[in-house]
Amino acid sequence: MANLETLNSTIYYLDMNTQYQIDGQDILLENVKAINNQIFNILTTVPGERIFEPEFGSDLPLLLFEPIDDITAWQMETAIYQALERWQPRIQVIYNATSVVANPDLQSFDCTIAYQVRLKNITNIYRVRLRQ
């Protein structure tokens, strides 16, 4: 029983690693890694891609083929806010610390998503470089 109590106090979120064979991480992800994995899944899924959940995802992948400029970066920020607000109830996005920056030299967008886990007093930053 003590082991179960210890497990319950240290693991508060658990998720399957959808990129297990690519990234070499564990097949089961815990806590912040699980949340980051879910953020990745939400942001890289186009609405309509999942048959049984047709509204799931974000418009972010569609915006990757727009011009690499500040306007598209602002549209991406908006898409991130909307998708995470709808599909990730475990977190609260920290808007003033979240940004998307156009990087024309590298043909990419640099995304920084700061969030706080709602049920825990944990703040994390998820960074990703998006390319076409």
Side-chain angles (χ1 to χ4, degrees), residues 67-87:
I68 300 174
D69 59 15
D70 291 338
I71 294 170
T72 306
W74 177 81
Q75 291 172 327
M76 287 180 152
E77 268 188 58
T78 302
I80 289 169
Y81 296 150
Q82 291 172 343
L84 294 181
E85 188 173 301
R86 179 166 186 196
W87 298 108

Side-chain angles (χ1 to χ4, degrees), residues 1-131:
M1 191 67 143
N3 289 339
L4 183 58
E5 288 175 10
T6 303
L7 180 68
N8 286 338
S9 67
T10 59
I11 298 176
Y12 46 91
Y13 293 119
L14 197 61
D15 197 7
M16 294 291 293
N17 184 358
T18 56
Q19 298 196 357
Y20 173 67
Q21 294 180 350
I22 297 170
D23 65 13
Q25 292 184 15
D26 297 331
I27 195 157
L28 285 178
L29 300 174
E30 301 172 355
N31 304 334
V32 171
K33 287 183 181 179
I35 293 171
N36 287 345
N37 186 59
Q38 192 62 36
I39 290 171
F40 175 82
N41 291 339
I42 292 166
L43 297 182
T44 59
T45 301
V46 178
E49 188 175 329
R50 293 193 178 177
I51 295 170
F52 295 109
E53 191 73 67
E55 295 178 3
F56 180 83
S58 74
D59 291 334
L60 202 58
L62 303 173
L63 292 168
L64 286 175
F65 296 98
E66 295 297 321
I68 300 174
D69 59 15
D70 291 338
I71 294 170
T72 306
W74 177 81
Q75 291 172 327
M76 287 180 152
E77 268 188 58
T78 302
I80 289 169
Y81 296 150
Q82 291 172 343
L84 294 181
E85 188 173 301
R86 179 166 186 196
W87 298 108
Q88 188 52 280
R90 301 182 285 188
I91 66 170
Q92 174 65 47
V93 176
I94 302 168
Y95 295 105
N96 60 355
T98 298
S99 65
V100 177
V101 178
N103 195 339
D105 294 337
L106 295 177
Q107 296 291 301
S108 65
F109 292 92
D110 295 325
C111 300
T112 302
I113 302 167
Y115 65 87
Q116 183 170 10
V117 179
R118 289 186 191 269
L119 298 178
K120 302 286 182 177
N121 193 16
I122 297 172
T123 301
N124 192 46
I125 296 176
Y126 177 76
R127 288 186 174 93
V128 63
R129 176 168 284 159
L130 301 171
R131 293 192 170 115

